[in-house]
Amino acid sequence: MVNAVILDTRERIYAGILLTGIAYFMFSTQDAFIKLLVAGLSVWQILFIRSATIFIACSVIGGRELLAKSWNSSAFMPMLFRSFLILGAWLCYYNAARYLQLAELTTIYFAAPVIVTILSIFILGENVPLLRWIAVLLGFIGVYVACDPAVLGISIPVAMVLVAACLWALSIVLIRKIALYESSMVQMMLNNGFFLIIAGIPLIFVWQTPALSDWLLLIGVGAIGGLGQWALFEGMKRAPVSVIAPFEYTSLVWAFAFGYAIWGDVPRREVFFGAVLIFLAGMVIIVGERFRKAG
């Protein structure tokens, strides 16, 4: 009986790891598509069509029952607030995508896991051990190296990515536990329903009729983004955050690969060094947490 429970737990954790890995591959693919689209279309338009695609797909799958559950969800207000945070992160990140390589974008954006540590002190009142402070310092050194002020500089696009990282980190700190008590489909309905309303207003003034190739990319962004959201929420239900968190850093690998395959981008040496330092910072935080909890 005990062995069966252990086996079931392991299978759930393995499933969580697999789903999380799939999620970050999907998000990296989505980012590559959006970087192609922002050259000619507004971020508002991309966000609207992406959200509409996901919302319609969820409505078809879940029907009226899902709509009712979403409307009556106890997560309604927290999800609304989080949607505004993510909207700000979206606008900053994807507008900066016009000017930076995908590898540069992703590397700088990975200041977010480190920023979570700092925010957890002020928002959650957590006691942060010395090892985590070392990781915070290492992570910010990595961001600094990747930005390389002598080459890339602390420009407006770089600042926008850093703001996006802060907003994303804040959204994680505020409602990290929602996935444990609310279904993935309800979360997707609420997130994308809010985005439809928020993005729909400015869309009136910035709408441009997409070409057929752009329509295909836009629908692809919605489909891939929706699958990524579902996989991430489901992965968080099945495995502890400390187990699946390292797989967020696989996005760095995919960003480097897509950047080279699509645009022929060869990241500067400093971006590689910065990515390694940020990765190590995340590992220090995760390993430190596991040892602290074990003790």
Side-chain angles (χ1 to χ4, degrees), residues 8-276:
D8 179 63
T9 301
R10 286 180 177 173
E11 288 179 348
R12 285 181 62 82
I13 290 175
Y14 290 151
I17 291 172
L18 177 61
L19 286 165
T20 303
I22 291 172
Y24 286 113
F25 171 72
M26 292 293 181
F27 291 148
S28 297
T29 307
Q30 170 193 262
D31 288 350
F33 280 15
I34 291 175
K35 183 170 171 58
L36 288 169
L37 288 165
V38 292
L41 295 175
S42 163
V43 173
W44 292 109
Q45 188 167 346
I46 297 168
L47 176 59
F48 182 86
I49 297 175
R50 170 186 177 271
S51 300
T53 303
I54 298 172
F55 189 86
I56 292 170
C58 290
S59 298
V60 171
I61 295 170
R64 292 183 179 179
E65 182 180 356
L66 179 60
L67 288 170
K69 285 183 178 179
S70 301
W71 180 256
N72 296 311
S73 172
S74 60
F76 189 92
M77 292 307 296
M79 293 290 287
L80 176 60
F81 182 51
R82 182 181 187 240
S83 294
F84 279 104
L85 293 175
I86 295 176
L87 173 65
W90 249 73
L91 293 175
C92 290
Y93 185 85
Y94 290 114
N95 277 303
R98 303 173 190 267
Y99 310 103
L100 299 174
Q101 292 182 358
L102 191 60
E104 291 172 338
L105 272 171
T106 307
T107 301
I108 298 169
Y109 190 68
F110 269 103
V114 181
I115 295 170
V116 167
T117 301
I118 298 175
L119 292 178
S120 67
I121 301 171
F122 301 101
I123 296 177
L124 302 178
E126 291 185 359
N127 181 31
V128 178
L130 177 61
L131 190 62
R132 199 188 291 185
W133 279 117
I134 294 173
V136 168
L137 178 61
L138 185 63
F140 274 109
I141 291 174
V143 173
Y144 182 85
V145 170
C147 293
D148 189 11
V151 178
L152 192 59
I154 305 302
S155 60
I156 291 177
V158 170
M160 290 170 69
V161 179
L162 289 173
V163 169
C166 290
L167 292 173
W168 176 251
L170 182 57
S171 74
I172 292 173
V173 171
L174 290 177
I175 61 164
R176 184 189 294 273
K177 296 182 179 179
I178 283 183
L180 297 177
Y181 69 84
E182 189 55 272
S183 74
S184 299
M185 293 295 285
V186 167
Q187 291 184 73
M188 292 171 67
M189 286 290 286
L190 289 174
N191 259 338
N192 293 285
F194 293 146
F195 285 150
L196 274 177
I197 297 171
I198 295 168
I201 298 172
L203 186 63
I204 299 172
F205 305 100
V206 299
W207 174 265
Q208 299 178 50
T209 302
L212 177 60
S213 58
D214 288 337
W215 271 117
L216 294 175
L217 282 174
L218 286 165
I219 300 300
V221 164
I224 292 169
L227 288 172
Q229 286 182 17
W230 180 85
L232 182 61
F233 294 149
E234 288 295 313
M236 291 175 68
K237 292 179 186 297
R238 288 169 169 77
V241 174
S242 60
V243 173
I244 64 176
F247 291 87
E248 184 174 358
Y249 290 93
T250 59
S251 297
L252 286 170
V253 177
W254 297 122
F256 283 28
F258 284 131
Y260 180 76
I262 298 174
W263 296 278
D265 291 340
V266 178
R268 292 172 292 105
R269 181 179 57 186
E270 292 80 7
V271 176
F272 280 109
F273 288 161
V276 169

